[in-house]
Amino acid sequence: MMQNNIKIAVTGGIGSGKSAVCEIIKSVGLPVFSCDEIYKELCTRPQFLNKLTEEFSGILSSNGALDRKKLAEIVFKDGSALKKLNEITHPAIMQELFLRAKNEKLCFCEVPLLFENGFEKLFDGVIVVMREFNERIDCVAKRDKISLNEAVLRAKSQFNYDNNDFAQYYVIHNDGNLADLRQKTLKAVEKIRINSL
């Protein structure tokens, strides 16, 4: 008999392939919730936007929506601004995440800043997606249309995945093609299912 409401976090450094892993999990019919998607949704709620604009000026576009690029420019250059942004956003995101996940038997949650915030304790298991640093930087620069230097800054502002021991977690090494990543992901999901019984 499977336990109820098993929540597995999926994390990894910027550009590691977390979203690709989550798409693979979704493709086999398992529920996946994304902190980034929840954040985008929260940013359309006036109450949440007000909290951000009270703290950061000049982050709204001419139509009154959040200009995420402007906000990113502010916080990735200033550690204390990034800390402040995280203090506003993370509790709201986690609250919404657990609200959505509460009726699922087994679900996966894409949580980018899991270890930075000590959120790993809130989950029943963690999948860590690992990828070589330079590959991650190339991927982020192309994806976000930013310079390699900016991509390095973003990666360096995060938890250092290359110098930590993840023996107690499910680790997926994203070092091959998509078919290879799919195989590794489904293997990890199968282990999680067996361990949840």
Side-chain angles (χ1 to χ4, degrees):
M1 160 76 183
M2 190 172 182
Q3 294 173 40
N4 272 333
N5 201 219
I6 300 282
K7 293 182 285 295
I8 306 293
V10 180
T11 197
I14 190 168
S16 59
K18 297 182 291 292
S19 299
V21 165
C22 286
E23 284 306 316
I24 294 163
I25 294 169
K26 248 188 240 178
S27 76
V28 292
L30 289 162
V32 177
F33 301 99
S34 156
C35 283
D36 282 347
E37 278 169 27
I38 289 170
Y39 174 57
K40 275 181 200 160
E41 212 178 289
L42 287 173
C43 287
T44 64
R45 297 181 188 174
Q47 204 182 350
F48 186 76
L49 260 187
N50 287 344
K51 274 188 191 168
L52 291 181
T53 51
E54 275 168 23
E55 196 58 48
F56 306 100
S57 58
I59 56 165
L60 296 185
S61 58
S62 51
N63 65 358
L66 176 68
D67 186 330
R68 291 182 66 175
K69 205 164 181 196
K70 272 186 194 161
L71 183 59
E73 278 167 17
I74 295 168
V75 300
F76 285 115
K77 285 181 184 137
D78 177 357
S80 62
L82 183 60
K83 187 172 181 287
K84 193 74 221 171
L85 176 69
N86 291 344
E87 282 166 8
I88 297 168
T89 57
H90 291 160
I93 292 167
M94 295 314 276
Q95 190 182 352
E96 186 69 27
L97 179 72
F98 287 122
L99 200 63
R100 293 178 188 197
K102 75 175 196 296
N103 295 322
E104 302 293 348
K105 253 190 155 157
L106 169 65
C107 66
F108 295 80
C109 307
E110 188 179 346
V111 187
L113 301 172
L114 185 82
F115 295 111
E116 286 88 334
N117 294 297
F119 289 151
E120 69 275 13
K121 301 175 194 75
L122 304 175
F123 292 88
D124 303 289
V126 177
I127 292 175
V128 181
V129 186
M130 298 292 284
R131 189 180 190 184
E132 203 270 317
F133 188 77
N134 289 335
E135 281 182 27
R136 287 171 45 205
I137 296 306
D138 284 344
C139 163
V140 172
K142 284 191 189 103
R143 184 191 72 194
D144 296 347
K145 297 178 181 62
I146 56 175
S147 70
L148 288 173
N149 280 347
E150 280 180 279
V152 169
L153 268 180
R154 290 189 184 189
K156 298 266 190 204
S157 76
Q158 293 188 336
F159 182 78
N160 186 340
Y161 283 87
D162 300 317
N163 295 319
N164 273 284
D165 174 24
F166 298 117
Q168 74 211 77
Y169 305 119
Y170 302 93
V171 177
I172 294 173
H173 289 279
N174 182 10
D175 52 9
N177 58 20
L178 200 56
D180 178 58
L181 185 63
R182 183 177 176 84
Q183 201 180 0
K184 288 175 178 173
T185 301
L186 296 181
K187 207 171 165 181
V189 167
E190 198 44 47
K191 267 190 197 165
I192 288 164
R193 279 184 149 154
I194 290 164
N195 291 343
S196 304
L197 291 173

